[in-house]
Amino acid sequence: MSDTVVHATYSEQAADLVARVDQDRWGSVRPSLYETARVVSAAPWLPGEPRRIAYLLNEQAPDGSWGEGPARYRLLPTLSAVEAALAVLRRGGASTETARRLASAVDGGLAALRALPTAGPWPDTAAAEILVPSLVAKINEQLSLIADARTPVIDGWRPGPALALPRGYDQSVPEYAAKRYASTGSLPVKLHHTFEGIAGYISRGLIPDRPDLLGSSPAATAARATTASAPPAPGTVAVLESVAQRYAGSFPEAAPIVVFERLWVAAALARASLPAASLPTVRRWAADIYDPRGVRGAPGLMTDADDTAMAVLVSSLVGLPHSPQPLDLFHNGSHYDCYVGEDTGSITANAHALQALGRYQRRHPATERLYGPRTQTLLDWLVGQQRPDGTWPDKWHASPYYATARCVAALKEAAVQHGAEHAAAAVETAVAWALDTQRDDGSWGVWGGTAEETAYGAQILLSTARHGPRHARALDRAETYLDAVAGTGDHPALWHDKTLYAPGAMIEAEVLAVRELLRTRHGRPGGESTAAEGTDTSTDAER
């Protein structure tokens, strides 16, 4: 037998990824410490609690905190874990050894929370202004009850004084948000995903206990069950158990994520080429996901401009005539709100909308009269959001490399299509920033080099017509780095939901496609050209 290692071609790897995504009805994300702790606290009736408690204990960092990323991102998951541990201790039933471990974990967690910078700055994660004050109030209530108890939960253990609310947060916000809508007799869909933050201020019956995931969130669902009825409805138990089965007994912050995952995987792979064998699957995805009323990222979430734009874009990439008309639901005159009632806007949702509008007009030139003016207005708005250093920020991702790569891709296509000199200039400013911020090992990253961010950095450089020695060396170093780290493990969490998470399949698609583009620039493709005729998976300049 030969010792020669046979490497799969790009098209084989891409087709395998599409097949895996197609077969997974939940989505490839790791369990969330925050979400799992919320279920532990709210749902002692759910089978499998010992496994979840063990997960919480095992995930605590040496400094006493929980979560991923820098200290400011650890605030919310640490609050969640400390409150859950206190809830388990107060209701009793844990073994002596587990109770002592939980008490020690509480001590470490409270110490870590008190050591955090008092004024942040805190990340713009989903509903943090509600979730942080809510958890601080719950922790302080638990601490007070333990301190006042005649019988200690563990002999000789007292967890210490109340926890101060971090500066920048307002303790009145959760109750205000709840009462604002309770008087109307209904709760807006906007608050379903983070319902656990206001559940303590909502009267029973406002949110009926149904056999589904409230706002796609296990934590919100467990809180709804506790608020709505006792005992919980059998359907609620069943749906939570089905999610826990997929995620080794724990829970992600959203389930299922297949809409987001499928759209982003398809668009990422199309930057190189979609395997011919996968085109029927991706066309089926696009046909199933597109909705003239707007697309939602997961069942129970609001329709949003980001997923709607990506559904239009992927449809155009695979030759389906799905109109951008659903985006009209989100247009505010100059650009797109990500969803109705949004507090902070999304740069990348607008970059995706610009790409979707451009690709649709290329396939349907007669619509340029209809969509051309809006495209020009959006292009101007997006250029105006660029920071002086050449970057763009976004609320859905911790790294500027993601948003900047998305804006560069959209503006590059717009510059080619519309001759927009200011868009081309914005792209070149971003390219200069990417060149200046590459790390010594060839990677890019906001906190440290990562494969995901290196893929975005390489995308930015590949967008320019520059071919100077520095540019070529930067791409060579990026290719070397990505080849060295390919398949080496889980990707760091950089995406924003309630806390940081990592959509594994989407990141894998980004890295896989960029590695193929880097190989093909040398005339060394990783596989034969696989884009089926008519899919229009790249601009003429990209070809």
Side-chain angles (χ1 to χ4, degrees), residues 388-401:
D389 65 356
T391 64
W392 282 268
D394 195 58
K395 70 177 185 178
W396 299 124
H397 206 286
S399 172
Y401 292 99

Side-chain angles (χ1 to χ4, degrees), residues 33 65 67 204 225 327 373 375 396 412 418 440 444 459 499 517:
L33 187 288
S65 69
R204 288 180 181 270
L327 283 169
T375 299
W396 299 124
K412 175 196 171 183
H418 299 281
D440 291 341
W444 281 274
Q459 287 173 24
T499 58
L517 291 172

Side-chain angles (χ1 to χ4, degrees), residues 341-361:
E342 182 179 44
D343 294 323
T344 56
S346 167
I347 296 287
T348 56
N350 283 278
H352 294 150
L354 182 59
Q355 275 193 297
L357 289 170
R359 291 297 178 118
Y360 186 79
Q361 290 170 77

Side-chain angles (χ1 to χ4, degrees), residues 7 155 198:
H7 295 285
D155 289 338
I198 61 172

Side-chain angles (χ1 to χ4, degrees), residues 203-369:
S203 60
R204 288 180 181 270
L206 183 63
I207 300 292
D209 194 2
R210 302 189 305 264
D212 61 1
L213 289 175
L214 179 64
S216 83
S217 165
T221 303
R224 177 189 64 187
T226 301
T227 302
S229 62
T236 297
V237 177
V239 72
L240 287 172
E241 283 190 290
S242 68
V243 180
Q245 184 177 7
R246 167 62 176 82
Y247 294 99
S250 298
F251 297 92
E253 287 179 22
I257 63 161
V258 294
V259 168
F260 161 75
E261 184 172 79
R262 291 176 177 185
L263 292 174
W264 267 248
V265 164
L269 294 177
R271 292 189 184 94
S273 59
L274 284 169
S278 300
L279 283 170
T281 299
V282 176
R283 285 194 177 108
R284 171 168 51 81
W285 290 352
D288 290 345
I289 291 171
Y290 179 84
D291 191 326
R293 299 165 297 179
V295 177
R296 62 192 77 235
L301 297 182
M302 301 179 71
T303 58
D304 68 86
D306 207 6
D307 287 286
T308 301
M310 288 294 277
V312 174
L313 174 60
V314 171
S315 295
S316 290
L317 291 173
V318 297
L320 297 180
H322 290 153
S323 164
Q325 187 173 356
L327 283 169
D328 292 349
L329 299 167
F330 310 99
H331 201 260
N332 62 22
S334 63
H335 61 285
Y336 294 92
D337 293 328
C338 201
Y339 53 85
V340 177
E342 182 179 44
D343 294 323
T344 56
S346 167
I347 296 287
T348 56
N350 283 278
H352 294 150
L354 182 59
Q355 275 193 297
L357 289 170
R359 291 297 178 118
Y360 186 79
Q361 290 170 77
R362 281 175 55 189
R363 283 195 165 274
H364 306 278
T367 66
E368 189 168 349
R369 183 176 179 181

Side-chain angles (χ1 to χ4, degrees), residues 125-137:
T125 50
E129 72 282 2
I130 292 175
L131 299 178
V132 169
S134 174
L135 281 170
V136 170

Side-chain angles (χ1 to χ4, degrees), residues 383-393 425-426 428-430 432-433 436:
V383 170
Q385 302 305 305
Q386 188 176 31
R387 290 173 168 175
D389 65 356
T391 64
W392 282 268
E428 293 305 317
T429 304
W433 167 76
D436 289 341

